[in-house]
Amino acid sequence: MINKLFLPLSLLLFLFSCNESDKSIVEDVMAGSGTTFEAKPQAVPKQEVKTLEIGSAAPDFKLIGVDGKYHTLDEYADAEALLLMFTCNHCPTAQAYEDRMIKIAEDYKDKGVQMVAISPNSPMGLLFEELGYSDLGDEYHEMVIRHKDKGYNFPYLYDGDDEKVSLEYGPVATPHAFVFDKKRTLQYRGRLDKVEKPGTANAEDLRAALDQILAGEPVTNPVTKTFGCSTKWGWKTEYKTKMDKEWSEKPVSITSVNEQGVKELLSNTDSKKLRLINVWATWCGPCRMEYPDFIDVQRMFGDRDFEFVSLSTDKEKKKEAALKFLAESNSAVDNYIYSEEDNYALIELVDPDWNGALPYTILVEPGGKKVWSHQGEVDFLELKRAIVDHPLIGRYF
């Protein structure tokens, strides 16, 4: 196992919040790669970004991959054509095209085409509010998870620290394809195809370009526009600061609720949203530790058919203490405190399968059907997957 004393704080927090399987994936890569790489996203000076012109030579690169090893342009010198796909984890359009990327790599590997994916995004420029279609952001260790989850059959490289390589290529959105011939001259740049929805197209534009390049023919349509999430450059941090400030200034309140009120919360007949309810208390250490992560989840999915609700089991006389904690946690959601004395009645109301230990978290559909629940500290990656993969939410448009 990897020595956690030498891991960056962001990775430690991620490993703390995810399940054993995902921890193992990241730890195995870090331990077995022979590298001491530590992602260090940094601010990048604002500048004009020009997309590489057709006929240009491929700019050199040396980037860390999800395998923990560095990869260079020269590494792929034997390939008849090189397909560089600028993509990322969080973007719904990128996710919509993932299976087509995998199929392209599979169909063309024996034809001499090498596909390499590069994530151009700076994690510093990514808002919680932009993560509503994903369980993962664009941090390096999250790329490791996505590569494993989707079974990518191509290298996946990280350029999120200084975006130096991406700035030379100039991808405008994710995904954005760049195809080079044997001499590493750019022959095609643009989309895979014109239909985002999975199962409706088969990367026709990209396949046509690859076929013509392999045949030594000019590409009929060398430049196409690409549609997707804009590249998150390292100078796009002001809006993130603004959004964080706005959220921190939202009013926070707490409302007393009796048994009937709890029933109504759980029946979820007053909304058309997935409702996540966290049952907690100020005296519960694990509750307090994990609570800020629930606010992050609300910020991620709150603009979609989702809402987070907190339910405190503190006594009424502790209402001000509960409110103080919620205010410190920027809990600008519907917050409730149970006003009855019988906590055992509350347990049965919330979920008969709950044994009463705090914290307890439950996800219910409109109409009250339980779709996910957990006793104890939450695996937030598992929770995010339960939310984004629910039919009310989804990973793409």
Side-chain angles (χ1 to χ4, degrees):
M1 295 292 286
I2 192 168
N3 188 340
K4 295 182 176 63
L5 291 175
F6 298 100
L7 291 180
L9 179 59
S10 61
L11 180 51
L12 282 171
L13 292 173
F14 176 81
L15 292 175
F16 177 78
S17 67
C18 66
N19 62 38
E20 292 302 319
S21 175
D22 292 317
K23 286 180 186 177
S24 177
I25 293 169
V26 178
E27 289 181 352
D28 286 350
V29 168
M30 298 293 286
S33 64
T35 181
T36 56
F37 175 75
E38 177 183 332
K40 295 179 180 178
Q42 55 196 267
V44 176
K46 187 174 182 178
Q47 56 198 276
E48 180 183 1
V49 181
K50 295 183 178 180
T51 305
L52 197 68
E53 296 288 349
I54 297 297
S56 299
D60 200 4
F61 60 81
K62 181 182 179 181
L63 294 172
I64 191 78
V66 294
D67 57 359
K69 300 175 182 178
Y70 284 92
H71 298 266
T72 66
L73 180 65
D74 288 344
E75 179 180 339
Y76 311 110
D78 291 339
E80 293 299 316
L82 177 64
L83 165 57
L84 296 184
M85 184 70 68
F86 288 86
T87 187
C88 69
N89 288 346
H90 86 275
C91 175
T93 306
Q95 293 182 79
Y97 278 101
E98 280 178 315
D99 289 338
R100 275 168 278 186
M101 295 178 200
I102 292 169
K103 193 69 167 63
I104 281 279
E106 177 185 336
D107 290 350
Y108 282 84
K109 66 180 180 181
D110 292 335
K111 298 179 181 180
V113 176
Q114 174 65 55
M115 177 175 170
V116 178
I118 298 175
S119 178
N121 288 344
S122 168
M124 293 177 61
L126 191 57
L127 310 176
F128 285 119
E129 289 77 6
E130 294 177 297
L131 297 175
Y133 289 83
S134 182
D135 52 338
L136 295 165
D138 294 336
E139 298 274 2
Y140 170 72
H141 51 268
E142 293 173 302
M143 291 170 57
V144 174
I145 298 295
R146 176 55 58 76
H147 184 275
K148 178 69 174 181
D149 283 350
K150 285 298 298 182
Y152 284 175
N153 53 356
F154 46 81
Y156 191 20
L157 314 184
Y158 170 77
D159 190 29
D161 278 3
D162 58 16
E163 300 175 293
K164 182 179 178 181
V165 172
S166 299
L167 284 165
E168 292 192 73
Y169 284 87
V172 299
T174 50
H176 199 167
F178 292 72
V179 186
F180 298 85
D181 62 17
K182 179 68 174 178
K183 296 179 179 179
R184 297 301 175 259
T185 301
L186 183 62
Q187 300 293 342
Y188 175 82
R189 72 165 201 246
R191 66 193 185 195
L192 285 81
D193 56 53
K194 64 180 181 180
V195 185
E196 178 180 1
K197 186 178 180 181
T200 56
N202 190 33
E204 286 84 0
D205 294 287
L206 182 54
R207 287 174 182 269
L210 286 169
D211 290 342
Q212 289 178 317
I213 291 168
L214 292 173
E217 301 171 357
V219 176
T220 303
N221 195 16
V223 177
T224 58
K225 293 182 178 180
T226 188
F227 176 82
C229 303
S230 62
T231 304
K232 302 301 180 284
W233 300 112
W235 57 83
K236 292 184 176 181
T237 57
E238 290 183 5
Y239 196 59
K240 185 176 189 301
T241 301
K242 178 177 180 290
M243 293 294 290
D244 289 345
K245 184 175 185 294
E246 287 183 0
W247 186 269
S248 70
E249 293 174 348
K250 288 176 180 274
V252 177
S253 61
I254 189 169
T255 303
S256 296
V257 64
N258 58 19
E259 288 187 13
Q260 181 58 35
V262 173
K263 286 181 181 178
E264 292 173 1
L265 280 176
L266 290 157
S267 66
N268 195 14
T269 57
D270 58 335
S271 82
K272 296 181 180 180
K273 300 180 178 182
L274 278 181
R275 178 174 288 168
L276 179 68
I277 304 171
N278 176 240
V279 188
W280 67 284
T282 57
W283 46 263
C284 167
C287 299
R288 296 175 69 98
M289 288 177 61
E290 72 173 1
Y291 193 86
D293 289 325
F294 285 111
I295 303 305
D296 293 346
V297 171
Q298 170 63 28
R299 291 184 62 181
M300 286 176 64
F301 300 106
D303 288 337
R304 308 197 65 199
D305 292 327
F306 170 85
E307 63 180 1
F308 168 62
V309 173
S310 81
L311 177 59
S312 170
T313 61
D314 288 292
K315 301 301 181 183
E316 279 275 309
K317 64 182 179 180
K318 293 289 188 180
K319 189 174 183 179
E320 287 303 313
L323 178 59
K324 181 176 183 293
F325 171 77
L326 291 168
E328 291 170 348
S329 302
N330 299 320
S331 186
V333 299
D334 288 335
N335 303 297
Y336 297 94
I337 186 168
Y338 185 56
S339 62
E340 308 279 359
E341 290 296 322
D342 189 352
N343 285 333
Y344 291 95
L346 175 65
I347 294 169
E348 297 304 317
L349 281 172
V350 172
D351 188 350
D353 294 331
W354 173 28
N355 70 12
L358 292 177
Y360 188 76
T361 309
I362 185 169
L363 182 66
V364 294
E365 294 178 343
K369 179 183 177 181
K370 179 176 71 173
V371 294
W372 183 91
S373 64
H374 186 77
Q375 180 175 291
E377 294 161 88
V378 166
D379 172 348
F380 279 91
L381 184 53
E382 177 187 313
L383 171 58
K384 292 170 188 175
R385 286 171 176 165
I387 295 168
V388 77
D389 289 329
H390 191 277
L392 276 176
I393 308 297
R395 291 178 180 268
Y396 15 79
F397 298 105

